[in-house]
Amino acid sequence: MPLSVPLQTILLLLASNIFMTFAWYGHLKYRTAPLITVILISWGIAFFEYLLQVPANRIGHAVFSAAQLKTIQEVITLSVFAAFSVFYLKEPLTWNHVLGFTLIAAGAAVIFQRPF
């Protein structure tokens, strides 16, 4: 049984965000590496992010508006980033981070409401 379009979209966006989070923030563990090196490695990682992100948006646009796709992307980004910062960068997730992310997610929920 094939996956539904919303599930395909979310899974592709999740995978793409994992790549992008490593591309944008993974180098922070390697502060002594030359900047050009981490830039080139980040570009290489980001290539795989694009291989997933573009199909996710193409597939997802069949059932979601562009604003909804962007909103899904942002909520996934925050979720992936929170886990990444705790488990990979070993940075604490404090109450103000959780509250801020929660407020952003609550705002994102408004995008999925029917227009007034």
Side-chain angles (χ1 to χ4, degrees), residues 37-109:
T37 301
V38 296
I39 289 171
L40 293 174
I41 290 169
S42 292
W43 278 354
I45 295 168
F47 171 76
F48 294 101
E49 184 268 342
Y50 276 86
L51 288 176
L52 298 165
Q53 175 78 337
V54 172
N57 287 329
R58 279 275 175 111
I59 292 166
H61 200 248
V63 296
F64 297 115
S65 69
Q68 289 172 327
L69 284 168
K70 182 61 179 171
T71 302
I72 294 166
Q73 166 74 26
E74 293 305 325
V75 170
I76 291 171
T77 297
L78 287 174
S79 302
V80 168
F81 180 78
F84 178 86
S85 67
V86 169
F87 295 111
Y88 185 78
L89 294 177
K90 307 294 187 211
E91 294 183 359
L93 192 64
T94 62
W95 72 267
N96 58 319
H97 296 138
V98 173
L99 178 60
F101 291 167
T102 301
L103 290 172
I104 291 168

